[in-house]
Amino acid sequence: MSDLSSNKFEYIVDEQSSLVRLDKLLCLSLDGFTRNKIVSLIDDNCVLVNGDCVNKNYKVKVGDHITVLFPEVKEYQAEP
């Protein structure tokens, strides 16, 4: 369900994942992301649940559609 190449991750919550905090679920679902980075994405409104911004304490429910929009990575070049 994810497509990190397009800077977007989508997840539909199933029964097994329900009633877990949003930040914890994303921490388990996104390899290579720390909980601090996930919380930062949530605080920056880059994480939507059913199209709405929520806080990190949100407990996901069966059928919730989670979308994570990753900001563009800016490349910097050092100049002499």
Side-chain angles (χ1 to χ4, degrees), residues 38-70:
I38 290 169
V39 168
S40 177
L41 288 170
I42 295 169
D43 289 343
D44 291 342
N45 297 324
C46 294
V47 178
L48 306 174
V49 177
N50 302 321
D52 296 321
C53 297
V54 294
N55 64 35
K56 66 181 180 183
N57 300 329
Y58 177 82
K59 292 200 178 191
V60 298
K61 300 172 191 71
V62 175
D64 277 350
H65 181 228
I66 300 170
T67 305
V68 181
L69 304 170
F70 299 104

Side-chain angles (χ1 to χ4, degrees), residues 28-41:
L28 296 171
S29 300
L30 295 171
D31 292 333
F33 283 83
T34 64
R35 182 173 255 159
N36 284 341
K37 179 61 178 168
I38 290 169
V39 168
S40 177
L41 288 170

Side-chain angles (χ1 to χ4, degrees), residues 4-7 33 37 41 69-76:
L4 295 178
S5 63
S6 68
N7 295 331
F33 283 83
K37 179 61 178 168
L41 288 170
L69 304 170
F70 299 104
E72 290 286 325
V73 176
K74 296 178 183 176
E75 293 185 29
Y76 296 99

